[in-house]
Every structure is written in C-alpha cells, then in structure tokens.
C-alpha cells in the first residue's frame, strides 16, 4: 500500500508507514485491551497476538519504506480495502502516545491527529 507523501499530524510531523505499523501492533497488544482486535483476524499472526501467544512485532505488517506499507494476510480478504477504511485502522502518533501515556486522547491538548479538522477546547467530556 502506498501512502500519500503530504500527510501530516496536527503537530506538523509527517504521517508515515511506521505510524500504521505502530498503531496496528498496539491495537492487537493484549495490554491495550482493544475491543476491535477481531477485525485483524485474517492478518498474519493476529490471532496468536490477540491471546498473548506471539509478540505484536510478529504481526504481518511492515513498513517497506517511509510511505509504503506491506500487509501479509493469512487468507485473502475480498473486502480488504473496505476493512481498512474503519477507524480501527487509522494511524496514531507513537510520539504522542509515548509523551502523554495513559492521558493520550483524553483531551484536545493531549491528542495528535491528522485530517482536515482541528480539535479545540474539548476537555474529555465537556461536562462542566
């Protein structure tokens, strides 16, 4: 899969293939407790990673260059492109997750994102 070269995080950093690799491995890591790991079921080694039998590093996804991602499947998925359009497959910034830890994504100030919209003023619930 080829990524656009002009994708940027809200902090100005470039979005790269490594962001996807990090995100997908993190999603499957049992420590993350993601509810949506089943969506990766046909990715190489995903089922074993979900239950802690293999390391997330063994997931069938690699960054072959800064803007190219290679995905290895355990069997063909005819709806693969549609699957990837789901939010579970969106990248997250490793730099931001490591900076904010468990507070990442809890407020606008502790969220790094990409796309056409700007998140401002959100305090986590906005229930003041």
């Amino acid at each position: 899969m080829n990524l656009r070269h002009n994708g940027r995080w809200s902090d100005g950093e470039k979005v790269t293939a490594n962001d996807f690799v990090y995100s997908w491995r993190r999603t499957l890591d049992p420590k993350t407790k993601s509810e949506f790991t089943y969506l990766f079921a046909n990715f190489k080694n995903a089922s074993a990673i979900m239950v802690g039998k293999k390391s997330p590093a063994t997931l069938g996804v690699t960054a072959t260059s800064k803007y190219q991602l290679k995905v290895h499947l355990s069997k063909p998925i005819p709806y693969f492109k549609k699957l990837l359009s789901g939010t579970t497959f969106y990248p997250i910034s490793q730099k931001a997750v490591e900076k904010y830890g468990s507070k990442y994504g809890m407020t606008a100030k502790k969220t790094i994102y990409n796309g056409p919209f700007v998140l401002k003023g959100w305090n986590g619930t906005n229930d003041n």
Side-chain angles (χ1 to χ4, degrees), residues 19-75:
D19 294 316
F20 287 87
V21 172
Y22 169 76
S23 301
W24 296 359
R25 287 177 178 173
R26 183 176 182 269
T27 297
L28 284 169
D29 190 325
K31 290 183 262 179
T32 304
K33 298 182 182 176
S34 173
E35 296 178 50
F36 303 104
T37 56
Y38 68 92
L39 295 170
F40 288 87
N42 294 315
F43 284 55
K44 182 180 174 189
N45 295 327
S47 295
I49 296 166
M50 288 182 235
V51 296
K53 291 185 178 179
K54 287 196 174 193
S55 164
T58 65
L59 181 64
V61 61
T62 54
T64 57
S65 71
K66 192 170 185 175
Y67 300 107
Q68 191 169 53
L69 193 63
K70 188 170 189 174
V71 178
H72 300 272
L73 302 173
S74 56
K75 66 180 185 179

Side-chain angles (χ1 to χ4, degrees), residues 9 14 16 20 27 45 59 63 70 76 87 97 106 114-116 127:
W9 292 108
K14 290 185 175 192
T16 68
F20 287 87
T27 297
N45 295 327
L59 181 64
K70 188 170 189 174
T87 57
V97 171
M106 301 300 279
N114 64 51
D127 290 340

Side-chain angles (χ1 to χ4, degrees), residues 51-119:
V51 296
K53 291 185 178 179
K54 287 196 174 193
S55 164
T58 65
L59 181 64
V61 61
T62 54
T64 57
S65 71
K66 192 170 185 175
Y67 300 107
Q68 191 169 53
L69 193 63
K70 188 170 189 174
V71 178
H72 300 272
L73 302 173
S74 56
K75 66 180 185 179
I77 306 174
Y79 52 90
F80 182 68
K81 287 182 181 179
K82 286 186 180 187
L83 181 69
L84 294 182
S85 68
T87 57
T88 301
F89 295 94
Y90 290 4
I92 57 174
S93 167
Q94 181 175 359
K95 181 177 156 185
V97 171
E98 290 173 354
K99 178 179 179 180
Y100 298 118
S102 64
K103 302 281 186 198
Y104 174 76
M106 301 300 279
T107 66
K109 290 181 180 179
K110 292 187 169 110
T111 302
I112 303 293
Y113 48 89
N114 64 51
F117 303 104
V118 176
L119 185 60

